[in-house]
Amino acid sequence: MSRPYLKLKMENEQRLLAEIRAKEPRLTAFPPRCTFEISWRCNYRCKKCTYSKLTRPEGFSATNYPEWNWDDIERIAEEYFPTCRLTQSTLLGEPFLSPQLGNLMNLYRRFGVYYRPTTNGSLLTEDKLDTVNGVVDWLKCSFDGHTADLYERLHLNGNFAAVVRNLKTFSQYRRYMTPFPWFRIGMVLMRSNMNHLKEYADFVFQEIGVDEMEIMALNYANDQMTDEFYWDLEDDVNARLDELVEHCIDKKYRLRLPFARMPRMDGTWNGPTGRRRADEIARSQPAADNSGYEAYSEEVRVGDIFGNRQTLEKGYVWSNEMRISRIEGVDGSWVGICPALNRPFFKPPTVESDGKDWIKVESCGSCSTYVFGNLKERSFSDIYASPMYRQVRTFLYNRYDIPRDDWMIPCKHCLCVDPVYRYESNGVPNVGLRFFPGADLYRPPRNTFNQSGLLRRTWDYWRQHGFASTVRTAVRFIGDRYGRS
């Protein structure tokens, strides 16, 4: 794919870096990438997901859920794509299900933007690969079990053989794609698969032929899947992760971890902390062999101004504790880095409580609690300059000087700040919260409070974790809702 607007993209990126270092509340440069989800449509109902049939009525399907209309897509692309280097589709729906895929890829070619989909692999057929050739420089497949039994238990369907066949096809076909796409496969760590990590790694690298394997922490999605939680098994989880790290370094498998070590449920550590363990891994592993990586895109090899590389030059194992979470400002202080600065989330259409159609611009998929504006009614540049956006930027510029108890509610419970998901800290308090323009970012909106839902969650939590933990969680929850003016 040719890269029209490439000079403009690079100039925009450098201007953005300068403006953030100068702590400008109002930015003139756009983020170099975004999460751009055009559709809610999905043909799966995985156990880990809010689409799951565990919480849906019989016969539920998301295959006909709403997606952006083409006029809105073109309008936003005209404004945003000339300075955008890549977009991701990582959180909602199945991208290869969209009937607009072909037109969308042509639009990406027109503006020289790379596309990075996350797929369940069921529709990753050769004709779809012809459609995305030259546009996709990175692809990830969600694949939570390496055997038919595990796959069916966690994805709630028997599609294992077809998905494996499609993934092998992609692994071979990408040799004919320019650029050569980076191939990541990802599993959400669950109680069912945590004792099979080494076998999983051997399968995806040796049988499928991936570049990289990612393990993601299990996030709160629905109350009926609490049998997959592992927060009471910290010693077992840490032992399995240590075994996997050693195995991947020995085999030269590239591995991304959500955390290098998990604490006890009360927040204390048995042995080294996650940060200390991450440092040990970084120091002890050999440098990675990146010969032949010229075939990948520059965005894969070099990343962007915040260092979001896909290759791991310093070694084979990486964890979230190693992420770049801050840069130095011109005044010598540390600036907090967050997708609100470098990767906004353009969400599929919804109808909100005001009765209007919305295409929401949110902060990211880790919390999705900041709703900065509606692309149905305003341009992205107007939303990007809005008071809410400027308030969040100002907070991030000063985050390291502010005690966490005094942070904005969404940031206080952010999954990127806490690489280890905790049900009581960044689980329940963020579920369903949305802060719309004009909201007090230090007090959760009252219209999200649902008494019956809260009682049900409290009872479920009590059964899982006991009286003392439930009381601590309730006190924190009530304090967050009513403790600030």
Side-chain angles (χ1 to χ4, degrees):
M1 180 177 70
S2 63
R3 301 299 303 277
Y5 303 99
L6 184 57
K7 182 179 178 182
L8 180 62
K9 296 176 194 294
M10 296 172 67
E11 290 172 347
N12 170 81
E13 194 175 58
Q14 290 305 312
R15 187 168 76 253
L16 176 64
L17 180 61
E19 290 178 337
I20 291 175
R21 283 180 168 162
K23 298 185 176 182
E24 296 286 348
R26 182 164 184 157
L27 304 177
T28 65
F30 281 173
R33 56 181 181 154
C34 69
T35 300
F36 181 31
E37 305 276 12
I38 70 164
S39 178
W40 294 97
R41 297 179 179 181
C42 190
N43 58 338
Y44 269 38
R45 295 176 291 180
C46 305
K47 188 174 184 180
K48 64 195 176 188
C49 183
T50 54
Y51 288 165
S52 176
K53 66 182 179 184
L54 294 173
T55 55
R56 299 286 185 167
E58 189 68 29
F60 167 79
S61 173
T63 54
N64 295 313
Y65 266 28
E67 65 177 44
W68 291 47
N69 67 54
W70 188 250
D71 289 342
D72 288 325
I73 292 174
E74 280 196 307
R75 176 172 54 84
I76 299 305
E78 290 278 355
E79 179 185 21
Y80 185 73
F81 276 16
T83 57
C84 180
R85 298 185 72 147
L86 63 94
T87 81
Q88 298 167 288
S89 177
T90 61
L91 297 160
L92 303 171
E94 168 50 47
F96 291 100
L97 186 63
S98 173
Q100 303 187 89
L101 181 67
N103 289 336
L104 187 63
M105 293 302 98
N106 288 333
L107 193 65
Y108 276 70
R109 291 184 181 96
R110 175 182 160 196
F111 289 101
V113 178
Y114 284 130
Y115 176 54
R116 297 186 174 179
T118 295
T119 173
N120 59 41
S122 64
L123 304 175
L124 196 63
T125 51
E126 195 164 320
D127 61 312
K128 298 288 177 59
L129 299 181
D130 288 336
T131 301
V132 303
N133 189 358
V135 181
V136 167
D137 76 329
W138 177 101
L139 181 139
K140 174 182 172 182
C141 180
S142 295
F143 187 75
D144 296 322
H146 69 292
T147 67
D149 175 66
L150 268 176
Y151 188 90
E152 184 168 357
R153 189 187 316 167
L154 300 176
H155 287 276
L156 304 179
N157 68 47
N159 212 21
F160 177 78
V163 169
V164 170
R165 182 172 61 250
N166 289 345
L167 295 180
K168 289 182 177 180
T169 297
F170 173 72
S171 186
Q172 294 296 316
Y173 182 94
R174 65 188 177 132
R175 294 179 297 174
Y176 307 105
M177 300 175 74
T178 304
F180 186 68
W182 186 262
F183 187 12
R184 176 188 293 178
I185 204 158
M187 65 172 286
V188 172
L189 188 65
M190 292 185 253
R191 209 175 183 105
S192 293
N193 60 24
M194 60 177 281
N195 291 317
H196 307 280
L197 300 182
K198 292 194 296 183
E199 297 93 332
Y200 178 96
D202 287 337
F203 181 83
V204 299
F205 281 96
Q206 296 176 18
E207 294 293 322
I208 295 177
V210 302
D211 290 312
E212 182 182 52
M213 164 185 166
E214 179 181 22
I215 296 179
M216 294 157 285
L218 179 65
N219 298 339
Y220 178 88
N222 56 71
D223 295 321
Q224 286 74 21
M225 59 171 288
T226 53
D227 60 316
E228 295 293 350
F229 285 2
Y230 45 80
W231 312 115
D232 56 334
L233 301 174
E234 68 276 355
D235 289 339
D236 291 338
V237 171
N238 290 331
R240 301 294 83 77
L241 292 182
D242 285 344
E243 292 169 0
L244 180 64
V245 167
E246 184 178 338
H247 184 68
C248 288
I249 292 175
D250 180 62
K251 297 284 189 177
K252 297 185 178 179
Y253 296 158
R254 284 181 163 83
L255 169 68
R256 296 176 75 93
L257 295 171
F259 44 82
R261 201 161 191 85
M262 195 178 85
R264 300 184 182 100
M265 289 182 64
D266 62 3
T268 62
W269 301 87
N270 180 13
T273 64
R275 172 65 65 180
R276 181 178 166 189
R277 176 61 182 144
D279 291 341
E280 290 174 354
I281 294 170
R283 288 194 308 268
S284 62
Q285 64 181 320
D289 177 10
N290 285 340
S291 58
Y293 273 26
E294 295 79 9
Y296 297 98
S297 72
E298 182 179 2
E299 280 75 1
V300 166
R301 292 181 287 106
V302 179
D304 60 27
I305 54 175
F306 302 107
N308 296 293
R309 293 175 178 82
Q310 302 307 313
T311 58
L312 309 176
E313 295 94 337
K314 295 182 180 179
Y316 292 96
V317 178
W318 181 96
S319 78
N320 273 345
E321 289 95 347
M322 302 175 190
R323 73 165 66 237
I324 295 175
S325 59
R326 63 183 186 176
I327 59 174
E328 189 173 3
V330 294
D331 61 0
S333 65
W334 290 111
V335 173
I337 295 302
C338 160
L341 294 175
N342 69 344
R343 194 186 67 200
F345 183 13
F346 298 170
K347 209 165 186 178
T350 58
V351 176
E352 297 301 315
S353 57
D354 58 6
K356 296 180 179 179
D357 293 332
W358 276 69
I359 296 177
K360 291 183 282 191
V361 177
E362 299 185 352
S363 50
C364 76
S366 292
C367 66
S368 292
T369 45
Y370 294 116
V371 179
F372 292 111
N374 183 3
L375 288 171
K376 279 282 191 181
E377 296 185 345
R378 303 176 64 189
S379 68
F380 176 69
S381 57
D382 284 345
I383 294 171
Y384 195 55
S386 67
M388 186 181 194
Y389 237 128
R390 282 180 280 166
Q391 186 179 4
V392 172
R393 289 190 197 108
T394 301
F395 164 76
L396 290 169
Y397 294 155
N398 299 286
R399 192 184 87 186
Y400 288 94
D401 296 323
I402 303 173
R404 185 159 180 179
D405 285 346
D406 296 329
W407 286 10
M408 295 174 177
I409 293 296
C411 297
K412 186 187 296 188
H413 302 301
C414 178
L415 294 175
C416 293
V417 176
D418 287 314
V420 180
Y421 174 87
R422 305 277 313 290
Y423 183 90
E424 68 270 26
S425 61
N426 48 12
V428 171
N430 259 4
V431 171
L433 292 184
R434 291 293 182 272
F435 292 81
F436 286 82
D440 181 349
L441 301 179
Y442 295 90
R443 183 190 295 276
R446 297 300 177 96
N447 62 4
T448 64
F449 181 80
N450 182 293
Q451 189 172 20
S452 63
L454 178 61
L455 291 173
R456 176 174 50 80
R457 284 185 198 155
T458 302
W459 172 243
D460 288 339
Y461 190 80
W462 185 305
R463 288 187 302 166
Q464 287 286 319
H465 304 292
F467 174 78
S469 181
T470 302
V471 170
R472 286 195 300 269
T473 302
V475 169
R476 184 180 302 173
F477 181 84
I478 293 170
D480 283 343
R481 286 189 178 271
Y482 304 111
R484 295 189 180 279
S485 58

